[in-house]
Amino acid sequence: MKIFIDGKFCDESEAKISVFDHGLLYGDGVFEGIRAYHGRVFKLKEHIDRLFYSAKAILLELPMSHAALMAATVETCRQSGITDGYIRLVVTRGVGTLGLNPNRCKNPSVIIIADKIQVYPKELYDRGMDIVTVPTVRNLHSAVNPAIKSLNYLNNILAKIEANNAGVEEAVMLNSEGYVAEGTADNIFIVRNGALCTPPLAAGALYGITRQTVIELAEAAGRKVTEPNLTRYDLFNADECFLTGTGAELIPVVKIDGRVIGTGQPGPITRQLVQNYHALTKTVGEPIYP
Ligand code: PXG
């Protein structure tokens, strides 16, 4: 495996950053999680676009152009021999002094790792997953905006711990008004009477790239997709439910807070969308080995 750090490729054992990097000291930075399928980097442009938006929102000037970041991501996959895998692109504020002041950090660092990821146990993709709503609420827009994919994931990690303590793999986070926001690293959809609903981005959801892909796939199949505010009531009364994310892909949800959703089995519309998603990954993406 070769890791890209600030324009150079190095071996895993040499891939190190300074203890004075503000990414480590303060979680000051942004990241992307990207997948490669069948020798192509899936939705790469969309991920780099979002990285730029996240960086802009925290006033971090990326030291590479959009095109250079795309090329470096593909090259990292090539150098690591990846055809199917997971790419983690991290941009930190860089090395500074102790103390928050980001002005002391002169050079942001860009790190790209291409490896594997298995977010949830494989059998849950067939059987469906149990999830719970948790006490930790999604960050307020007026605090660290949840649209920013920042290195500060403690809000979500606390929710994940609460889910794990409840004996399940994933949490549904509500926002401070009690509306459904998203999972800890995935967006949520429900199916009701053949139509799909997913919380609006203003409810505290990340602008999920898989979410957008699923909206497009569902609409192409003639299904209506709306983005209303959803409550726990809406989740409990759904015919089907599933989560979407680059890591998670599409995973059916069959129980929420101990209540059975729909038939208690992954639903037909969810299954169809899973198939359509995997079909899309065969043709879409930047070729790694052109
Ligand atoms: N919400 C949050 C809070 C996320 O972090 C998503 C939704 C789904 O977005 P995408 O664009 O991926 O469909 C995410 C994505 C990891 C990992 O390393 C995390 C994510 C994606 C991939 C890997 O844990 N988060």
Side-chain angles (χ1 to χ4, degrees), residues 50 86 88 149 153 156 182 184-186 206 209-210 245-247:
R50 187 170 63 189
Y86 171 69
R88 166 56 66 93
K149 212 163 156 58
Y153 253 52
N156 305 43
E182 60 176 349
T184 65
D186 18 59
L206 186 83
I209 289 163
T210 321
T246 298

Side-chain angles (χ1 to χ4, degrees), residues 19-33:
V19 293
F20 289 98
D21 192 304
H22 279 210
L24 173 70
L25 288 174
Y26 300 110
D28 188 353
V30 293
F31 78 101
E32 277 299 319

Side-chain angles (χ1 to χ4, degrees), residues 123-158:
E123 60 273 16
L124 294 186
Y125 287 82
D126 301 322
R127 207 169 68 216
M129 189 158 66
D130 292 9
I131 60 176
V132 292
T133 54
V134 293
T136 295
V137 299
R138 196 70 176 101
N139 281 335
L140 297 171
H141 292 282
S142 47
V144 179
N145 194 303
I148 303 169
K149 212 163 156 58
S150 84
L151 294 183
N152 231 295
Y153 253 52
L154 262 185
N155 184 236
N156 305 43
I157 290 166
L158 289 176

Side-chain angles (χ1 to χ4, degrees), residues 31-284:
F31 78 101
E32 277 299 319
I34 311 169
R35 265 193 195 263
Y37 293 102
H38 313 289
R40 291 169 182 273
V41 184
F42 189 62
K43 300 274 174 184
L44 178 58
K45 178 188 176 298
E46 288 81 350
H47 282 282
I48 305 294
D49 284 347
R50 187 170 63 189
L51 185 77
F52 270 84
Y53 291 131
S54 292
K56 189 166 187 190
I58 68 161
L59 293 102
L60 172 62
E61 202 174 320
L62 294 186
M64 292 169 67
S65 69
H66 194 290
L69 271 169
M70 281 186 59
T73 305
V74 171
E75 183 59 24
T76 306
C77 291
R78 201 177 298 137
Q79 298 239 358
S80 295
I82 292 281
T83 49
D84 292 84
Y86 171 69
I87 302 139
R88 166 56 66 93
L89 213 171
V90 183
V91 185
T92 72
R93 188 77 67 181
V95 173
T97 54
L98 295 179
L100 300 182
N101 194 349
N103 295 334
R104 302 267 175 84
C105 307
K106 296 301 174 206
N107 298 306
S109 265
V110 178
I111 300 160
I112 311 174
I113 309 164
D115 198 4
K116 297 273 168 211
I117 195 171
Q118 176 82 47
V119 177
Y120 299 119
K122 209 174 166 303
E123 60 273 16
L124 294 186
Y125 287 82
D126 301 322
R127 207 169 68 216
M129 189 158 66
D130 292 9
I131 60 176
V132 292
T133 54
V134 293
T136 295
V137 299
R138 196 70 176 101
N139 281 335
L140 297 171
H141 292 282
S142 47
V144 179
N145 194 303
I148 303 169
K149 212 163 156 58
S150 84
L151 294 183
N152 231 295
Y153 253 52
L154 262 185
N155 184 236
N156 305 43
I157 290 166
L158 289 176
K160 188 74 153 183
I161 290 169
E162 288 162 354
N164 290 342
N165 285 347
V168 300
E169 289 278 343
E170 180 57 318
V172 185
M173 301 181 79
L174 307 178
N175 64 23
S176 60
E177 290 180 281
Y179 291 116
V180 177
E182 60 176 349
T184 65
D186 18 59
N187 293 105
I188 187 164
F189 282 78
I190 58 169
V191 179
R192 195 82 210 272
N193 299 326
L196 280 80
C197 299
T198 189
L201 301 170
L206 186 83
Y207 292 35
I209 289 163
T210 321
R211 174 186 185 275
Q212 185 57 35
T213 303
V214 165
I215 290 173
E216 288 165 15
L217 287 172
E219 287 178 342
R223 301 213 172 269
K224 197 168 161 224
V225 185
T226 56
E227 301 176 39
N229 263 325
L230 297 173
T231 63
R232 291 170 76 229
Y233 168 93
D234 299 307
L235 301 184
F236 299 152
N237 285 296
D239 300 328
E240 302 179 25
C241 178
F242 61 91
L243 303 178
T244 66
T246 298
E249 303 177 293
L250 274 73
I251 184 158
V253 171
V254 292
K255 229 184 220 185
I256 305 178
D257 293 340
R259 304 178 190 221
V260 172
I261 306 304
T263 62
Q265 307 283 327
I269 294 174
T270 305
R271 284 184 186 281
Q272 183 64 56
L273 286 165
V274 169
Q275 274 188 17
N276 294 355
Y277 175 79
H278 286 294
L280 190 69
T281 63
K282 292 192 176 135
T283 57
V284 166

